[in-house]
Amino acid sequence: MTESSVHPALWPAPHASGAVDATVTVPGSKSVTNRALVLAALSSEPGWLRRPLRSRDTLLMAQALRTMGVGIEEGIGPDGSGEAWRVIPAGLHGPATVDVGNAGTVMRFLPPVATLADGPVRFDGDARSYERPLNGVIDALRTLGARIDDEARGALPLTVHGAGALEGGSVEIDASSSSQFVSALLLSAPRFNQGVEVRHTGSTLPSMPHIRMTVDMLRAIGAQVDEPETGGEPNVWRVSHSALLGRDLTVEPDLSNAQPFLAAALVTGGRVTVPDWPLRTTQPGDALREIFTTMGGSCELTEHGLTFTGSGRIHGLDVDLSEVGELTPGIAAVAALADSPSTLRGVAHLRLHETDRLAALTKEINELGGDVTETADGLHIRPRPLHGGTFHTYDDHRMATAGSIIGLAVPGVEIENVGTTAKTLPDFPEMWTAMLGSTGTAGA
């Protein structure tokens, strides 16, 4: 009897017996979906959100906004072109209780929104959410005039005592632990009486592409934003008070969630096509084109999508991932299968993500026979022959997909709680199995 038959939470990761050749349609971006929901909720008129991601994080965001009075109708778009959400802004109100789960975007983006509600809004979530830093948002909102009760924790649970408006103005924050602190303030800023000036004071600022995404999406619905990328003062963002327009937005595929499928092409020496890969995007996942090419593949990007082809060999690399930290687990998994060592740098902030991703990757890869050591700001990976075993996920979706990548090349890998992938990538096990087709064997 296998361990997986005794322990139903273990998923036998399919082992690839040959080169993958597949087209994988990746669901919409979580980052875009949740930003779009917030902006639509704060707009002056209804808007459409087409091809939204339906996952735990985005459904938590939608439900949270509903609890504060926003109308979100799920159905088919006006032209019958597929799933779309109609967002109908309304007067925000409390009392309300928001379940953030373990979604960083929900726990950080919505307290600023709650300051605009008429009444108290309580925020609570999973046990891990209590450990994730929120002080940057809490302290900044207090500086801008908000009343927040967090019992001096700087973390969840907390209550925002909304007064129907927020004065806004200038604030200094240290967003070294999460760029979401900056995005959280910028998203609601057009509704603050004085707008906002956010000045980052820390020595580092991770995941800058996510801040660029926030700025681009604000501008697309009529906000005035002054930022470093367009000649503004370094580490300073200014958003003016203004009305936001209701828009019709189509959500891009989630490029970070495309990572395991592109990795499958690299690991098996095969080919994977992801339709609708945007020609221009602020998503961090777009960096995979360069990173995975360096590791031994090649890619072709056309108006139809991205085709990535593995060469049959995987090379190690030395790379700064500070702007694209969420890609680290998948890159680490591929690096563990490479023909030379890798050093992944600039990602100390991953210790504060869904789990301590650096410690988790080190432990899980090493328990399969690997040689990974933590550094001050990342990982050093020396490839060694790996063997089967249980790959724990710590309720972290990107740990689950990382283990699945290793399982392609290593027979007998079993993923604990693969269902955690529903956080951002619903139906991952089915998509993974379908991609492999006849080239995959479960747990063999």
Side-chain angles (χ1 to χ4, degrees), residues 116-429:
L116 304 170
D118 184 9
V121 181
R122 177 172 172 78
F123 290 84
D124 208 338
D126 298 352
R128 171 63 179 172
S129 71
Y130 291 14
E131 303 171 16
R132 301 184 68 181
L134 200 54
N135 56 300
V137 174
I138 295 170
D139 294 345
L141 289 175
R142 284 182 175 139
T143 298
L144 297 173
R147 180 181 161 218
I148 300 175
D149 177 14
D150 68 336
E151 297 182 358
R153 283 185 295 266
L156 293 173
L158 60 84
T159 298
V160 177
H161 295 276
L166 190 70
E167 191 59 24
S170 299
V171 65
E172 293 186 349
I173 64 169
D174 183 349
S176 300
S177 61
S178 177
S179 68
Q180 289 176 352
F181 293 173
V182 174
S183 287
L185 297 171
L186 300 185
L187 287 168
S188 292
R191 289 284 302 274
F192 298 164
N193 293 342
Q194 296 184 37
V196 79
E197 177 186 272
V198 178
R199 186 176 297 268
H200 168 60
T201 60
S203 57
T204 62
L205 184 57
S207 303
M208 272 297 296
H210 278 128
I211 297 180
R212 296 185 197 116
M213 177 186 295
T214 297
V215 170
D216 281 2
M217 293 182 69
L218 277 162
R219 286 175 173 159
I221 60 172
Q224 291 184 292
V225 186
D226 178 31
E227 50 133 5
E229 295 291 316
T230 53
E233 189 176 349
N235 290 328
V236 177
W237 293 262
R238 296 181 181 90
V239 180
S240 303
H241 172 78
S242 67
L244 298 177
L245 307 174
R247 286 289 171 87
D248 188 329
L249 172 70
T250 299
V251 178
E252 298 173 351
D254 193 314
L255 306 188
S256 294
N257 277 340
Q259 180 181 38
F261 304 101
L262 300 183
L266 189 56
V267 169
T268 69
R271 178 176 62 189
V272 169
T273 296
V274 178
D276 302 320
W277 192 288
L279 297 176
R280 177 190 175 276
T281 181
T282 53
Q283 288 193 60
D286 195 45
L288 289 167
R289 293 190 290 136
E290 178 179 353
I291 293 169
F292 278 173
T293 296
T294 300
M295 297 187 81
S298 61
C299 64
E300 180 183 12
L301 178 62
T302 70
E303 66 272 17
H304 302 297
L306 177 76
T307 296
F308 187 84
T309 304
S311 64
R313 297 191 63 185
I314 305 171
H315 309 307
L317 81 173
D318 186 326
V319 62
D320 183 344
L321 299 175
S322 58
E323 291 206 346
V324 293
E326 66 193 53
L327 304 179
T328 302
I331 294 170
V334 173
L337 304 170
D339 59 11
S340 58
S342 294
T343 299
L344 312 184
R345 295 178 285 106
V347 288
H349 61 286
L350 294 190
R351 296 187 170 100
L352 300 171
H353 275 222
E354 281 81 346
T355 187
D356 179 340
R357 285 178 171 166
L358 300 184
L361 287 164
T362 300
K363 178 177 182 295
E364 297 308 313
I365 294 174
N366 286 350
E367 288 194 353
L368 298 182
D371 185 0
V372 181
T373 54
E374 282 192 61
T375 65
D377 71 339
L379 299 172
H380 186 61
I381 302 168
R382 302 172 189 84
R384 292 176 55 180
L386 302 181
H387 55 72
T390 300
F391 196 94
H392 298 91
T393 64
Y394 310 88
D395 295 321
D396 186 333
H397 55 135
R398 301 208 192 279
M399 287 296 296
T401 53
S404 300
I405 292 168
I406 292 174
L408 290 173
V410 180
V413 174
E414 295 189 308
I415 311 298
E416 174 264 335
N417 188 21
V418 73
T420 193
T421 52
K423 176 181 171 68
T424 61
L425 189 55
D427 305 321
F428 169 74

